[in-house]
Amino acid sequence: MEHAATVKPPAVPPALRLEDQRLGYALAQVRKVIGSAGIPDAGFEARQLVMAAAGVTREALLTDPDRTLTNDERLALETMVRRRLSREPLQYVIGQVEFYGRSFKVDSRVLIPRPETELLIEQALAFAGEQNFPAPRVLDIGTGSGVIAVTLATELPASTVVATDISLEALAVAKENAQLLAVAGRIEFVHCSLAAGVSGTFEIVVCNPPYVLTDFLSGPDIQPELGFEPRTALDGGRDGMAVYRPLLGGLDSIIAPGGAAFIEIDPPVTEQCLAEAKSRLPEASVSVLTDLAGLERCLLIELPH
Ligand code: GLN
């Protein structure tokens, strides 16, 4: 793959060697070694790595800098730093990510949830609040790590949720997250492409499809970290629309009357998504919502009663 060239680490990557096993010293060394490798936010990342390797909270790290690492913790930290220096994303290295105020497990089987996807949650919850559905049925198409499905199941305790993914590996991660957050009993996981294996209709449909342009993923501007994420979760084809087209084409039979779909978009695909949604769902009211940065982030499709 051409793209592989951009993720290659430097020929002789720097490494972490700790002479002193005190937390405060380890933190400073990790910060130095990853900062000098050009990784931004080295201070923040160093804290996350030391916290994960030593199993301590941020408070403990800052208030007890003389606590020493055990040998196992030191080895774990050195391995984690080596992985991060190879540009594996921080979230995979520490095995977790925060989303909508909760901690989720992630690894290279799933896309790392991005903070902008929290907008979908906010909008879906606001809609559920306005409509006051007694027992909303929620569908998350292409659930990945399951953050959207699990967050909505948690925030809407009367809901039942269906979560699909074309990747069995991703579904395994999503199920684990549902168990960790104690909502597995209300989420049905379906292995299928988009909503092909799903029957019935849903008051709330949510989807964060792959939309990155193929050329961008193969281009020189890509962050090396992106190369570690599952390509099928990112690649939206030549025009970014490869997944939106079948997705939008199948929605009319899936959204319940009076229900809505919240679909993540990216500014380069906004116009095409709007046009496609209007032509495929002529009955629906279609609009675009922007995120805190003012970027077009969510396609909202509402079906009349
Ligand atoms: N927002 C992600 C990114 O910019 C892409 C996620 C997606 O394709 N749904 O890398």
Side-chain angles (χ1 to χ4, degrees), residues 177-193:
N177 279 318
Q179 275 152 9
L180 283 172
L181 285 148
V183 289
R186 279 191 292 114
I187 307 184
E188 182 194 348
F189 293 94
V190 181
H191 180 218
C192 65
S193 171

Side-chain angles (χ1 to χ4, degrees), residues 16 18 22-24 26-28 30-31 34 42-64 67 69-70 72-74 76-78 80-81 90 93-98 103:
L16 176 71
L18 293 177
R22 282 176 299 169
L23 282 181
L27 182 62
V30 173
R31 182 184 188 142
I34 63 175
F44 167 79
E45 291 214 6
R47 277 199 300 278
Q48 297 290 312
L49 290 163
V50 176
M51 282 158 55
V56 296
T57 62
R58 188 165 186 271
E59 289 66 40
L61 183 64
L62 301 176
T63 57
D64 195 8
R67 131 105 150 82
L69 292 165
T70 64
D72 284 351
E73 290 167 353
R74 177 179 57 80
L77 181 59
E78 287 174 358
M80 285 182 177
V81 169
L90 175 72
V93 174
I94 64 174
Q96 63 122 26
V97 66
E98 297 292 315
S103 180

Side-chain angles (χ1 to χ4, degrees), residues 111-112 114 116-117 208-212 216-217 223 226 229 233-236 244 264 266 297:
L111 181 87
I112 298 164
R114 311 292 203 262
E116 53 267 29
T117 303
N208 174 18
Y211 52 66
V212 182
F216 178 81
L217 284 174
Q223 278 185 324
L226 218 49
E229 293 187 277
L234 288 167
D235 193 342
Y244 287 113
E264 181 158 317
D266 202 28
R297 271 284 150 230

